[in-house]
Amino acid sequence: MNILTRTCITVAGIALLAGCGGTHDGSDTPFFTTRGIVLSWDDVKDPDRLDWVALADSAGVNTLSIYCSEATKQTPEYRTFVNRCAEHDIAIEFQEHAMAELLPRAIYDEHPEYFRMDEQGNRVSDYNCCPSSSEALEIIAANAKRRAEKYPPTNHKYYFWLDDGGKKCYCEKCRHLNDSDQALLIENRIMQALREVDDKAMLAHLSYHNTLEAPTSVRPVDGIFLEFAPFYRTWERPLDEHNARREGMQITHGEYLDALEANLKVFPAATAQVLEYWMDISLVSGWKKPAKELTWHGDVFRSDIATYARLGIRSITAYAIYLDADYVDTYRDISFVHDYGKVLYEYRPPQQK
């Protein structure tokens, strides 16, 4: 028998499937409509040892974002995983940095004008693109469209994030735009292409790192939704503790909340989504295996989702990279997955209780 079956089992006296046996009675509609987890294929590829579909289903998680290669997506194992998710009404999506794929760096020598200009006036292929290059945007949009046709998410949500920590373009046409404005120029063009193949398509604007500041000059087209990712916060203290900050980091929780509220003046709260790191074992482990054990701060998590709910946000997703079969064999207790899913499923704003 695998570590997770459709019946309740315990490990070291802890009920891993705390949600099974009818915890979710469906008597009313959950406030958080998206209750997601971001994983890699390595985390889910061994269902005989760790059955992520059964785990997500029992926890009330209704969305899984799976990072994997195109070759993996063509395997029978991947198709079986996707089909099982569909049987349990679990949406599949793909959240990842994609700019290097959408605008291949190999074309830089022939078309340096497609790529960003640095502060010294040099065209460089290190990050992103020149958002004022219509030719670059056409290539990006065409490649995004092809990828959407080949591997569509089952919930119509698309994620073509810019390069991780990527810098903006400083050419004459772009330099006056902040990082978020430049991102929106790209995203608005991608959105138009996506609607050609999916009339329900939505595209994430990732508010993270350089794009934390709200756009000031460019407005999102219909279908662009905010995805807020407070990567540099501390998860040992709630987000609503305004003076809290992670050791070694400058940004405070209050500054994060100010940025979120500024973004919600540009993007609708009704479609906004949070991307959090409460369960991100890869972050705790410094992105190196063997994985370290996660310390689950359930009180912080509960406070945080109440904070997000007060701002009208109804979609929550969180990284749980490195939560694979080896992690379960080593540490046994993954009850925090059920705490995460169950609390999100059952949460109601005070006025709804």
Side-chain angles (χ1 to χ4, degrees), residues 81-254:
F81 175 80
V82 171
N83 290 337
R84 288 194 61 217
C85 285
E87 292 170 1
H88 292 272
D89 294 322
I90 298 171
I92 292 292
E93 59 184 25
F94 313 101
Q95 301 200 37
E96 56 191 290
H97 298 281
M99 187 52 56
E101 176 186 343
L102 301 184
L103 186 68
R105 308 289 156 83
I107 65 176
Y108 169 78
D109 289 340
E110 186 176 356
H111 292 287
E113 71 276 13
Y114 293 175
F115 296 85
R116 80 177 192 97
M117 181 177 287
D118 66 15
E119 296 92 327
Q120 289 73 45
N122 305 306
R123 293 286 179 178
V124 290
S125 61
D126 53 356
Y127 299 111
N128 300 323
C129 68
C130 175
S132 295
S133 169
S134 58
E135 294 87 354
L137 295 187
E138 289 304 308
I139 293 171
I140 291 168
N143 283 329
K145 180 179 176 180
R146 278 193 287 270
R147 184 163 153 184
E149 290 176 313
K150 195 167 186 179
Y151 303 112
T154 61
N155 60 0
H156 306 284
K157 283 186 175 182
Y158 296 82
Y159 304 82
F160 295 109
W161 297 338
L162 274 61
D163 287 321
D164 194 354
K167 298 180 180 179
K168 74 172 193 174
C169 179
Y170 288 89
C171 78
E172 184 176 351
K173 293 182 179 180
C174 291
R175 66 180 60 172
H176 68 286
L177 300 170
N178 70 24
D179 292 79
S180 295
D181 290 321
Q182 292 195 18
L184 270 180
L185 286 176
I186 302 165
E187 293 154 0
N188 285 348
R189 182 62 190 91
I190 293 175
M191 187 69 246
Q192 294 172 7
L194 293 178
R195 285 286 171 90
E196 294 174 10
V197 297
D198 182 352
D199 60 7
K200 297 180 181 178
M202 298 181 66
L203 177 66
H205 168 82
L206 183 65
S207 178
Y208 155 84
H209 198 59
N210 293 348
T211 55
L212 185 62
E213 181 184 357
T216 59
S217 301
V218 180
R219 305 294 296 184
V221 299
D222 180 55
I224 302 287
F225 68 94
L226 175 69
E227 184 171 36
F228 177 75
F231 177 76
Y232 296 107
R233 61 165 291 190
T234 175
W235 293 277
E236 295 180 357
R237 296 170 65 185
L239 194 61
D240 68 356
E241 289 190 16
H242 286 222
N243 293 327
R245 71 175 76 195
R246 191 157 106 211
E247 183 178 358
M249 299 298 167
Q250 295 300 312
I251 188 169
T252 65
H253 287 190

Side-chain angles (χ1 to χ4, degrees), residues 1-9 17 20 51 54-55 58:
M1 183 178 71
N2 63 10
I3 196 70
L4 289 167
T5 69
R6 286 183 174 82
T7 61
C8 294
I9 63 176
L17 297 190
C20 80
D51 189 340
L55 175 58
S58 65

Side-chain angles (χ1 to χ4, degrees), residues 209-344:
H209 198 59
N210 293 348
T211 55
L212 185 62
E213 181 184 357
T216 59
S217 301
V218 180
R219 305 294 296 184
V221 299
D222 180 55
I224 302 287
F225 68 94
L226 175 69
E227 184 171 36
F228 177 75
F231 177 76
Y232 296 107
R233 61 165 291 190
T234 175
W235 293 277
E236 295 180 357
R237 296 170 65 185
L239 194 61
D240 68 356
E241 289 190 16
H242 286 222
N243 293 327
R245 71 175 76 195
R246 191 157 106 211
E247 183 178 358
M249 299 298 167
Q250 295 300 312
I251 188 169
T252 65
H253 287 190
E255 289 169 325
Y256 262 127
L257 287 174
D258 289 345
L260 176 54
E261 291 183 17
N263 274 284
L264 290 174
K265 294 178 181 178
V266 179
F267 301 89
T271 59
Q273 180 164 297
V274 164
L275 175 61
E276 267 285 4
Y277 304 82
W278 301 294
M279 300 182 292
D280 190 358
I281 298 164
S282 67
L283 189 157
V284 172
S285 306
W287 300 278
K288 293 180 181 179
K289 289 188 175 183
K292 296 181 180 179
E293 186 172 12
L294 177 77
T295 298
W296 173 244
H297 298 283
D299 55 340
V300 172
F301 162 68
R302 285 165 170 78
S303 174
D304 288 347
I305 66 170
T307 296
Y308 291 132
R310 284 195 295 270
L311 293 171
I313 295 172
R314 306 188 67 165
S315 293
I316 303 285
T317 191
Y319 278 99
I321 303 291
Y322 286 10
L323 209 175
D324 57 12
D326 289 340
Y327 182 92
V328 174
D329 286 347
T330 302
Y331 300 112
R332 311 304 286 173
D333 178 18
I334 57 172
S335 56
F336 54 85
V337 176
H338 277 89
D339 196 32
Y340 171 81
K342 184 174 185 290
V343 170
L344 284 178

